[in-house]
DNA sequence: TGTAATTTTGACCAATTGGTTAAATCACAT
DNA sequence: ATGTGATTTAACCAATTGGTCAAAATTACA
């Protein structure tokens, strides 16, 4: 038997992340989290002092899971189209592994923006890098001109939205669980192609 | 003075819609809604029997506000590109007037899909109409080939996501309230252009 | 004006929920 | 073994919350 660290705090974190991301802060019950972790409710207060504190820790965890990987791609020195392909592929992969993350962050940010925006900002996204790259390519006549804000909005929207609106897509477009999974997998190519085609100037 | 119907039930509906769409079902308190409406809490139970009943009425209201207008455009017999332009313009307009709607529907659908999917489905969206139109245009060589599901996903994603992720956009992209409003207004053109450019075959 | 129906209110209740506390258990060095 | 500090538990508490109910206020109308 290999020695397995049964770190209680990690068990609590995992349970809390599951419950919080699934039900949201208001919908989550401390008892739910304790049950999910298989421990006494008081232990939650032993490791984290309150529901708020526990939530903030989890929120930070979630942000750190999915923000740095994609930000690092955006600010890298890859060619623009390659950036698009890798971003799309990477972002969708992360969301496939953590289907509840996007909706969770969005909702909590809506309910309580001032409390949580700090947690995000310190990740340090510098929009100027991608902005300069886009302007340079446009001036060189390699792509159509577009504001960096709209470029990013388009890219992130098409990657993320199908996850947040998952029930809508499953329900409205008549595919079940696995049909949805395949649909998502296809989007890695669709999104990058849509972005690139829209940017490409016709000759 | 024109005779104004001060229908209490409508006042309750408006108050409930505001509180529910802003805080979500779990975050909304019956007392909040009563305060917003300026009435006694018991009146809520007099008109609607329970929090659940009240919520379902509001949810249906919200769905009816923003689904029929855009669905009617999608299933109309307009040319494809014109459809894209009107859909984008119309959808974004509705969301500007009701900024909380999209996030509200998304979140509640995530928390409780089985209860709420019925409310949406009966709006009767027939995906085959737009699917046929896209296939026909592709076969005629007028546009690039794309699955209707991805077409719709792209279109809706780019329209809706900037509203759901509003705090992120305001916070990350360094524009304030009015900068955000202008950004959204610009998207009416950006989204339709992006869609159309991506579909247009280079010659 | 009287009276029945409707609407509105305040007082109250049972259940839930986040949090506290003191006791019990465990790990382990001496 | 035994004592000490960390971990875990059960019992309990105060506040909140959705909901009830009977009385009061208002309205409809014969």
């Amino acid at each position: 038997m290999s020695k397995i660290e049964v770190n209680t705090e990690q068990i609590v974190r995992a349970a809390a992340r599951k419950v919080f991301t699934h039900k949201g802060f208001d919908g989550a019950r401390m008892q739910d989290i304790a049950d999910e972790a298989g421990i006494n409710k008081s232990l939650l207060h032993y490791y984290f002092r309150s529901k708020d504190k526990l939530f903030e820790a989890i929120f930070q965890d979630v942000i750190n899971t999915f923000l740095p990987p994609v930000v690092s791609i955006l600010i890298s020195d890859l060619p623009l189209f390659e950036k698009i392909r890798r971003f799309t592929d990477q972002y969708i992969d992360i969301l496939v592994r953590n289907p509840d993350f996007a909706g969770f962050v969005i909702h909590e940010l809506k309910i309580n923006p001032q409390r949580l925006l700090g947690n995000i900002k310190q990740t340090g996204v510098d929009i100027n890098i991608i902005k300069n790259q886009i302007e340079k390519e446009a001036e060189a006549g390699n792509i159509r001109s577009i504001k960096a804000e709209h470029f990013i909005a388009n890219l992130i929207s098409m990657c993320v939205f199908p996850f947040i609106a998952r029930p809508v897509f499953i329900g409205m477009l008549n595919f079940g669980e696995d049909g949805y999974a395949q649909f998502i997998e296809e989007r890695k190519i669709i999104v990058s192609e849509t972005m690139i085609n829209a940017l490409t100037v016709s000759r």
Side-chain angles (χ1 to χ4, degrees), chain A:
Chain A
M1 281 291 204
S2 67
K3 184 186 176 187
I4 301 174
E5 257 297 327
V6 271
N7 188 322
T8 305
E9 188 185 321
Q10 290 307 317
I11 294 177
V12 170
R13 282 189 121 94
R17 182 168 56 210
K18 186 167 178 181
V19 175
F20 273 136
T21 58
H22 201 65
K23 304 193 175 186
F25 178 85
D26 288 325
R29 301 281 153 255
M30 293 298 268
Q31 189 60 57
D32 294 342
I33 299 173
D35 292 347
E36 178 71 34
I39 55 161
N40 188 284
K41 181 165 67 86
S42 297
L43 256 194
L44 300 179
H45 293 91
Y46 177 77
Y47 282 103
F48 306 82
R49 288 182 33 192
S50 65
K51 186 185 180 183
D52 273 87
K53 290 280 202 322
L54 176 55
F55 175 81
E56 295 235 23
I58 299 304
F59 190 82
Q60 194 64 56
D61 277 358
V62 169
I63 296 295
N64 290 339
T65 302
F66 84 94
L67 218 47
V70 297
V71 166
S72 75
I73 294 178
L74 278 189
I75 66 178
S76 73
D77 57 357
L78 290 167
L80 188 61
F81 286 1
E82 184 59 20
K83 235 179 226 192
I84 293 174
R85 289 192 199 94
R86 292 206 194 177
F87 179 93
T88 304
D89 191 77
Q90 176 84 307
Y91 208 170
I92 292 180
D93 258 347
I94 294 175
L95 292 174
V96 166
R97 282 197 297 275
N98 309 284
D100 282 328
F101 277 18
F104 167 71
V105 173
I106 293 290
H107 181 252
E108 299 305 334
L109 222 46
K110 172 187 172 186
I111 297 298
N112 212 329
Q114 72 281 13
R115 187 181 69 176
L116 299 176
L117 259 183
N119 301 37
I120 277 193
K121 271 197 170 172
Q122 68 194 25
T123 316
V125 200
D126 186 6
I127 192 178
N128 286 321
I129 294 174
I130 187 78
K131 183 176 264 177
N132 289 338
Q133 188 175 21
I134 291 175
E135 283 172 5
K136 193 160 289 181
E137 295 283 357
E139 281 167 20
N142 297 331
I143 62 167
R144 285 180 214 265
S145 177
I146 184 175
K147 280 190 189 174
E149 287 84 356
H150 288 294
F151 172 89
I152 293 177
N154 288 349
L155 186 56
I156 298 184
S157 296
M158 287 192 286
C159 287
V160 176
F161 188 75
F163 287 90
I164 332 192
R166 181 185 132 134
V168 183
F169 280 93
I170 289 185
M172 304 286 286
L173 301 182
N174 311 319
F175 31 57
E177 284 297 332
D178 42 341
Y180 174 77
Q182 197 205 324
F183 169 73
I184 289 294
E185 195 59 28
E186 289 168 2
R187 287 197 67 74
K188 289 182 185 175
I189 289 109
I190 296 287
V191 171
S192 55
E193 277 184 359
T194 301
M195 288 294 295
I196 291 172
N197 287 341
L199 286 173
T200 303
V201 292
S202 53
R203 300 189 178 275

